[in-house]
Structure formats: C-alpha cells, structure tokens
Amino acid sequence: MSNEQYYFPLDRFMSVEHFERIKRFAAGKPSPCLIIDLDVVRARFTELQALMPKACIYYAVKANPHDAVLAALAELGSFFDIASRYELDQCLRLGITPDRLSFGNPIKKRVDIEYAYGKGVRLFVTDSDEDLDALAERAPGSRIVFRLLTEGTGSDWPLSRKFGAHPDTVYSLVLRARDLGLDPYGLTFHVGSQQRDIGQWDDAISKCRYLVDSLRPEGVRIRMLNLGGGLPGTYTDATLPTKVYTSEIKRFLYEDFGDEELDIFVEPGRYLAADSGVIVSEVVRLSKKSRNNQYRWMYLDVGKFSGLIETLDEAIKFPIYFEKKGESEPVIIAGPTCDSMDILYEKTRYSVPSTVTTGDIAYILGAGAYTQSYSSVNFNGFPPLEAFILE
Ligand SMILES: *Cc1c(COP(=O)(O)O)cnc(C)c1O
C-alpha cells in the first residue's frame, strides 16, 4: 500500500469558473456522463503548434474519436493518425481529405489496406515483412513509415512492446520496401503513453539517427521522423510542463540531426484530449465490510466498464473531485458492476472529504482521453458512457 493521499484542490486542474460552467451544463444530464470542452482541445493544439512550429500534428483518433473533437481539430488544420477502416470512414465522412491521414496501425488486413488505398490514403506504417508484402500488393507506391520497437519505460500506460521492430529488422524492411517499389519515407516510434521520462525520446531519436546513417550507403534517404505520442495529460501524478517536453525533444533532435532537412511528425492523443473531459458520476454506495475495516468502500456509478479501463493496475490516476469540504478520509473506490475487477483504486490511496455521502456527485477530471470509446456496450445492462459537448 502506498501512503500517498489523493485529495486535491480543484485549482490544480481547472479554474473555479470553468468548473462552475461544467457543473451548470451537467445539471439534469444522465449520470454518469462525459462532458467535453472543445476549447481545451483547441487550446492544446494551438499550444503544441506554437511550441513545435515545424512539426506536423497527427491527432491519434483513438484517444477521443468524438465527431466534434475531430471536426474541431480538422478546422485548426490537424492531420490524423488512424488505426482502422472505421476511423478512416469517420474522417472522410467529416470531410477530412485522405492526404491528411496516416494509417498508423502496423496490424491490418489486406482488404483494409486495399480499402484505404482505394479511398486515397498513401501513407502507411509497418513493422513486419508480411505487412510490407501486403502494402506492396494493395497499396503500390505508397509512402511507408517504419516503426521502431521501444520499451515504454517511464510511461504510465506503456503500449510500445506490442508494436515495432528492432533496428536490424527495420533496416532490412526498408531495403525490401524500396525493392518492392514502395517509398521508404520515414521512421516512427511510440515511447509509451503518459510518458514521464523525457529521456525516452532521446533514446528513440538516437536509434533513428543510427538507422538513417546505416541506410544512406544503400542509397536510401529517410526524409521523415515521427515522434509518436506520449505527451501527458493532467492527472494526480505531476508531470513536467509541456514546454519542457518540447524544448527537450527539439534539443534531442538538434543534437542528432542538426539542420538536416527532415519532416517532423508528432502524434499526440492523450495530450490533446485528456484535459478536455470531465466524467460526472454519482456515489451509489458507501460501506464498510466489517466493523474493524480501516477503510470504507465507495462505489461510483462509473467504473472500468463504463470508461475507466485505464485504471487497470491503477495505471492512470484520475483526479476525483467533490464539492463538499471536510477532513480527508481514505477510501477504496470501485465501479458499479458485478465484476470483481471493477475496482478503481485500492492500492493507491485516494481520499475524499469525510462529509461525502451517497448521492453526491464525483467529478472525474482529466477524463477526455481513452474513456468513452473504451466503455462497454451493455455489461450488466449498463449503457455505454454518453458524451456531451459543452456549450
Ligand atoms: C495511441 C497512439 C498515439 C497516441 O498516444 P498518446 O500517448 O495518447 O499521445 C500515437 N501514435 C500511435 C501509433 C498510437 O497508437
């Protein structure tokens, strides 16, 4: 058990005025629900653009695929990282042209490659021989980006081990791509989501430098580097300011690549979406399992199956805010379903004001990314998390 106490002042996460707006808007809406503030998404995009003016921003659609989020980003000139034909269809339906899309998932069916190619997508990520063969056959001449394996060390939600290949494998993939008539355009990696160790970008960029150098004698010039996702959202565990991330990343790039001409892509998901969302939920039950139990259990009407899957292993620690004030009381927090894995925080010690009672509203902050789209369809009969765009 960790001794950390999570009972935070609201103003670490948002202004009182902002909170009041959300609260007013949420009144009368079903509980639980997700409130999304597009102004936050827009502000993040603009901030990143200002901090990395040379980078092309590809929003990772899976972080929050709400139509309104995609439309708001499209309007600001964002590009999009898609992982399936369904995300492709959605982007096209919203009027996003295929030249603004990157098919970033190295795991895809031949028919889906053909489908994307038919719709005009010409930028694909790969990490294996089989996938490369499929691309050569169904997406001839396309620009190919090769994904490097990283370890995900230092991130709260590592996703890297599943994707990418070792530099030696990437090296031979690049040469094969050229021989198959594809255009070996760039290299990519993902350092792990909610990455708190900025040095991970340094390691990955160095690997890219090494590959670019070793491919040059073969006559292949890599023209693009995609720095992936990993920029953080605001949760209970503090991260460094965005500006520190971007200035360090730019320094790593400069150290390895100097003034070489190179297209730079970034693929933020969480960073753009997380802080835009608040889940408004309700305390369903407070109970003690025995007279001598140290802690009370607090059951909310939202849980792992209705959007909070990233509490698996208590990886992402969402700030949970109550309006009531009072002494801080440690609790174990769980969701409403009958699955015993639907416990949100047990090892991580959360505290709530001791005055909180059943029926009170729990505001789950930083919930704009990887929540609604992860919620189950009908488990225990609970409907998927509904989202509303703040007006
Ligand atoms: C999920 C994903 C991202 C976004 O990652 P964040 O950590 O949310 O920024 C970027 N690129 C790819 C390929 C992804 O799969």
Side-chain angles (χ1 to χ4, degrees), residues 50-65:
L51 290 170
M52 300 192 77
K54 289 192 184 133
C56 235
I57 302 175
Y58 279 73
Y59 173 59
V61 170
K62 75 173 185 296
N64 185 331

Side-chain angles (χ1 to χ4, degrees), residues 60 62 81 104 147 159 190 193-194 229-231 267-270 370:
K62 75 173 185 296
D81 173 62
R147 175 121 172 217
L159 39 76
H190 194 305
S193 201
Q194 190 70 9
L231 292 177
E267 273 174 352
R270 192 182 297 281
Y370 303 114

